[in-house]
Amino acid sequence: MSGAVDAVRCVGLVHRFGDVLAVDHLDFRVGSGEVVGLLGPNGAGKTTTIRLINTLLPVREGTVEVFGVNVRSNPMGVRRLIGYVPQQLSIEGALTGRENVTLFARLFDVPRRERADRVREALALLDLEDAADRTASTYSGGMVRRLELAQALVSRPALLVLDEPTTGLDPLAREGVWERVRRMRDEHGMSVLLTTHYMEEADELCDRLVLMHRGALQAEGTPSQLKAAVGPGASLDDVFRHFAGGELRAPEQEGLRDVRATRRTARRLG
């Protein structure tokens, strides 16, 4: 969209965990209405970057803006614009699907008079109406991720942030999640920033890719541009290996906790 404000704009973004430089002077953008994939090996700084954007970590050096709203000076304004699905599960198994989404509607200050309709709308969008009054502990892995999407969407965010949302899902459940993400983007013009380790997902879903390694930007462009830059017949797996090299170990300060959390999530969804 010509002249539209970027959904995300990061300039000179830096973040450290003690002596470890997790994000190293990162510049990138997500255009309004774009689906952008943030790729890289474990420890590349992807999840840290997402947490800086969605205000879960403080921005101490550099600039982050979400639709022109500065994350450092107006974090509450940014939170009103974002829906977030983290790597770790965010549902409460003892509540029904409807109760889980209603809780998020309250957390995000959806007006009381609109709450019930907005909850129904989010559940319907994710095809969860028939299961809405079952406890979430009875849901399959794919249904759990769809419920998390409903939670993230009940506030009608302008930007949807997805941190490895299909971890632990079988191929059919993964396709079900992404089918609904495509629908939301097409019908509502929503901007999407996602991380994934599934290169076929990134290739199929993303308008543009940002590849990080050791906290720094290594390459960005459309999937076709990046594959062409590596060589004839290259796949996104080849692109990933080319720019990330053989260094796939995560820094201890960031990686071990996230790896353990991802494994716990995968076990619970499996």
Side-chain angles (χ1 to χ4, degrees):
M1 186 185 301
S2 178
V5 176
D6 284 339
V8 177
R9 177 175 170 267
C10 295
V11 179
L13 185 60
V14 174
H15 195 80
R16 293 177 174 84
F17 293 101
D19 295 331
V20 176
L21 184 60
V23 179
D24 184 4
H25 297 89
L26 181 66
D27 296 349
F28 83 97
R29 55 178 287 276
V30 177
S32 180
E34 260 194 321
V35 178
V36 172
L38 193 59
L39 307 182
N42 289 333
K46 307 183 301 297
T47 293
T48 298
T49 299
I50 290 233
R51 290 172 180 163
L52 290 163
I53 291 168
N54 67 20
T55 77
L56 292 178
L57 287 174
V59 175
R60 296 192 174 95
E61 186 174 342
T63 300
V64 182
E65 294 179 349
V66 176
F67 289 103
V69 180
N70 190 286
V71 169
R72 190 186 310 191
S73 62
N74 190 3
M76 285 304 299
V78 168
R79 288 169 198 157
R80 294 188 182 103
L81 295 168
I82 290 179
Y84 175 46
V85 178
Q87 289 180 16
Q88 297 82 13
L89 297 184
S90 58
I91 66 157
E92 175 51 64
L95 301 180
T96 67
R98 191 183 311 278
E99 289 168 338
N100 270 284
V101 179
T102 299
L103 176 61
F104 270 67
R106 293 175 62 188
L107 289 172
F108 282 92
D109 286 332
V110 173
R112 183 187 296 271
R113 65 183 179 279
E114 299 178 23
R115 224 172 265 166
D117 286 342
R118 295 270 284 272
V119 169
R120 278 194 294 270
E121 175 187 278
L123 290 165
L125 185 64
L126 277 302
D127 296 329
L128 288 170
E129 292 169 293
D130 291 344
D133 296 309
R134 283 168 39 197
T135 56
S137 61
T138 68
Y139 284 17
S140 68
M143 291 171 69
V144 166
R145 282 307 196 201
R146 281 155 47 201
L147 181 59
E148 291 186 307
L149 282 170
Q151 291 177 158
L153 293 169
V154 72
S155 61
R156 296 179 182 167
L159 172 67
L160 181 62
V161 180
L162 308 171
D163 195 2
E164 297 190 33
T166 56
T167 294
L169 298 184
D170 64 53
L172 285 177
R174 281 167 49 200
E175 179 56 35
V177 169
W178 287 122
E179 178 188 345
R180 289 160 180 85
V181 172
R182 289 189 203 98
R183 187 196 309 167
M184 291 180 288
R185 183 270 184 96
D186 293 343
E187 292 180 1
H188 303 285
M190 186 181 300
S191 305
V192 181
L193 174 63
L194 66 96
T195 71
T196 180
H197 282 296
Y198 298 114
M199 293 299 103
E200 69 275 16
E201 282 185 350
D203 204 353
E204 182 178 347
L205 293 166
C206 296
D207 301 311
R208 207 158 41 81
L209 301 173
V210 174
L211 202 149
M212 295 179 66
H213 184 42
R214 290 187 166 186
L217 176 69
Q218 298 297 320
E220 64 177 317
T222 68
S224 297
Q225 288 170 339
L226 291 177
K227 287 185 285 187
V230 171
S235 66
L236 270 191
D237 285 310
D238 298 322
V239 171
F240 190 94
R241 284 190 290 268
H242 178 79
F243 288 105
E247 303 220 15
L248 300 179
R249 294 179 61 191
E252 290 180 9
Q253 285 85 345
E254 183 186 6
L256 183 57
R257 179 186 60 196
D258 290 338
V259 168
R260 284 174 173 165
T262 299
R263 287 176 178 171
R264 284 197 299 271
T265 299
R267 284 196 297 270
R268 291 174 67 186
L269 289 174

